[in-house]
Amino acid sequence: MSAEFATASDTALPLHVLSETDLDGWLEKQDAPVQAWVSASGFTGGLGQALVVPGAEGAPVMALAGYGSAAARRRGRFHLAGAAARLPKGDYQIANGLPEDQAAPEALGWLLAGYRFARYRDQTPLEAKLVAPEGIDAEHIAAIARGEMLTRDLINTPASDMGPPDLEAAARKLAEQHGAKIEVTTGEALLENNLPMIHTVGRAADRAPRLIDMRWGDTGPRLTLVGKGVCFDTGGLNLKPGASMGLMKKDMGGAAAVLGLAQMIMATGLALQLRVLIPAVENSVAGNAFRPGDILTSRKGLTVEINNTDAEGRLVLADALALADEEAPDQIISMATLTGAARVAVGPDLAPYYSDDDAFVSALENAARRAADPVWRMPFHDAYETLIEPGIADLDNAPKGGFAGSITAALFLRRFVTDSTYAHFDIYGWQPSDAPARPKGGTGQGTRALFAALPDLLNL
């Protein structure tokens, strides 16, 4: 999938970005034919509107993109992407009207508007290309877009073609592209290497469970990303109903997100030591599937009572987090499509996250606004710790009662990180309906905000 800006040239059409309040003033400065054309075309500067203006001989001489009102813009992001989808084939160069602080996010949105998932069916490409606005780092923006597109591709691919071996292949391809090292522990070797809960969750599937371990960079602060790679989740013996199983190809969205973020980090050469850990499994049903009531012993030695086999993501993440914590990196971040409770709390558009580190929160919140990647802080609420303590074992994987489901999942994960600064993202990873630069389907959440925050967070 291409994520490239057009080359600046004399043939690129000037693109005037006009809000509803700016349109009249701009029109007063134009000649009569332009005024008449704009008026006859019904262009009002509304958000997402696009119009090509012809010259005296009928050939296009400029284009207009509606930028709406401030109130309308607050309700979304990537506003120029809406206009890009309505412009005809050609190269466009922004002439005026785009706020300076919006040049980078709008340019990114235009690139992301070109994303198409065409693995199984040809898709109509975006034919309007943008010349990179002055003052932005075009290569940096393109690297972010490629990372996001990788995440989308991985999530959109069905489990028939994105099982644990395929997720491993995607990680190996990324490692090869950037000179990273990768090791994979598969099947029974998980038990030999003290990764028992990853093995237990994935052992019922016909495609073996595995832990993917990728490293890149030799100097600088140490960052470890842990992504949930449940390539399909039937719910196990606590079988999901059909309606709840329909989107479970996206249950590896955490793995897809950290691979997309890793792509951004490696492509831009950030001066850090990166480790990516992905427990890749399928939660399937077979005679050897783990059962409700089982008690598992984790890598860290903590015992876990299984009260619902459909709360498997936190089990595989727990072993990976314990492994990550043994090196005590400067920062551990987990990303997972973990709980429906998070979606009930904040909906599909916000990425809820957990952190007790004020420096992390400050860096992330500031970066999220710049990156047009909204996040929402959730609490590691210590008073709920008793909810994950069943008495018969150290931890309960699915506390009864239905209260604070995302929080209790985050508290469960935090038990496995004791020597490192830790943050957890409970993302959705799916765009439920088409929006500018975000077609219906898999999507990255929190990754662009994290990428923008890393220089401040890790003092790069």
Side-chain angles (χ1 to χ4, degrees):
M1 181 67 61
S2 175
E4 305 289 344
F5 290 105
T7 302
S9 70
D10 293 338
T11 61
L13 278 184
L15 179 66
H16 299 269
V17 181
L18 300 170
S19 69
E20 293 173 353
T21 55
D22 292 338
L23 178 61
D24 288 344
W26 181 85
L27 277 176
E28 289 176 359
K29 301 174 184 177
Q30 309 306 309
D31 58 29
V34 171
Q35 294 177 3
W37 180 265
V38 173
S39 177
S41 300
F43 182 88
T44 63
L47 204 59
Q49 285 187 325
L51 179 66
V52 173
V53 179
E57 298 180 0
V61 294
M62 70 176 76
L64 312 182
Y67 213 52
S69 64
R73 291 194 296 274
R74 282 195 296 271
R75 293 189 173 192
R77 54 193 184 275
F78 301 137
H79 306 299
L80 277 191
R86 295 178 173 87
L87 288 169
K89 183 177 182 178
D91 295 345
Y92 297 85
Q93 186 160 10
I94 294 173
N96 69 289
L98 186 64
E100 184 177 348
D101 64 345
Q102 292 302 303
E106 294 291 10
L108 173 63
W110 194 300
L111 291 184
L112 293 178
Y115 173 79
R116 301 290 186 273
F117 184 62
R119 178 166 179 171
Y120 302 99
R121 180 183 178 183
D122 290 340
Q123 305 288 344
T124 303
L126 179 71
E127 295 188 317
K129 305 296 183 183
L130 181 69
V131 175
E134 292 184 8
I136 74 164
D137 186 336
E139 283 303 313
H140 188 84
I141 297 297
I144 296 172
R146 294 184 194 109
E148 168 68 17
M149 290 179 179
L150 172 62
T151 296
R152 294 180 182 185
D153 275 348
L154 293 174
I155 297 174
N156 284 330
T157 303
S160 54
D161 292 320
M162 190 49 65
D166 306 291
L167 190 54
E168 175 188 334
R172 287 189 181 278
K173 181 178 178 181
L174 184 64
E176 182 178 359
Q177 288 172 346
H178 297 286
K181 301 174 183 177
I182 190 166
E183 295 182 359
V184 180
T185 306
T186 305
E188 297 304 305
L190 291 166
L191 295 176
E192 298 165 10
N193 287 274
N194 192 23
L195 295 162
M197 293 206 295
I198 298 174
H199 179 273
T200 297
V201 171
R203 70 190 181 199
D206 60 359
R207 293 181 285 188
R210 63 205 65 205
L211 178 75
I212 301 163
D213 188 347
M214 183 172 70
R215 296 177 185 266
W216 175 88
D218 298 320
T219 59
R222 294 180 297 161
L223 169 68
T224 298
L225 306 176
V226 181
K228 174 186 170 185
V230 178
C231 296
F232 195 82
D233 181 17
T234 66
L237 292 177
N238 291 116
L239 194 69
K240 292 178 182 288
S244 299
M245 211 182 296
L247 274 181
M248 283 301 100
K249 70 176 185 179
K250 79 171 186 66
D251 212 23
M252 40 65 69
V258 298
L259 288 175
L261 177 54
Q263 155 74 16
M264 298 176 199
I265 290 169
M266 295 187 291
T268 55
L270 288 187
L272 55 79
Q273 298 177 69
L274 174 67
R275 188 182 191 188
V276 178
L277 292 170
I278 297 172
V281 302
E282 291 180 79
N283 188 18
S284 297
V285 176
N288 63 340
F290 71 120
R291 298 163 292 264
D294 284 355
I295 294 180
L296 310 182
T297 301
S298 67
R299 178 183 182 87
K300 199 174 185 68
L302 295 172
T303 54
V304 181
E305 181 181 16
I306 305 303
N307 279 312
N308 193 318
T309 63
D310 196 19
E312 84 298 329
R314 67 200 69 184
L315 302 176
V316 299
L317 287 171
D319 274 354
L321 286 169
L323 175 62
D325 192 47
E326 288 164 12
E327 289 190 347
D330 296 287
Q331 179 74 57
I332 296 175
I333 299 169
S334 60
M335 305 193 81
T337 52
L338 202 62
T339 71
R343 305 291 72 72
V344 172
V346 301
D349 198 41
L350 288 167
Y353 74 97
Y354 294 81
S355 173
D356 281 337
D357 181 2
D358 290 340
F360 180 95
V361 171
S362 177
L364 181 70
E365 297 280 351
N366 289 331
R369 287 187 286 271
R370 299 194 308 270
D373 189 13
V375 299
W376 196 263
R377 188 183 187 183
M378 300 280 280
F380 276 130
H381 189 50
D382 292 336
Y384 291 162
E385 288 279 3
T386 57
L387 297 178
I388 60 172
E389 296 169 347
I392 192 173
D394 294 317
L395 295 169
D396 183 340
N397 85 316
K400 293 178 176 62
F403 289 130
S406 180
I407 298 173
T408 54
L411 291 172
F412 180 99
L413 295 178
R414 190 176 66 168
R415 290 288 187 97
F416 296 86
V417 181
T418 54
D419 295 323
S420 310
T421 303
Y422 176 54
H424 165 61
F425 284 73
D426 190 348
I427 62 174
Y428 188 52
W430 190 262
Q431 177 67 26
S433 58
D434 288 336
R438 293 173 294 145
K440 180 179 179 180
T443 191
Q445 286 187 294
T447 49
R448 297 193 316 276
L450 280 168
F451 180 63
L454 286 177
D456 289 336
L457 180 62
L458 298 177
N459 297 313
L460 300 178

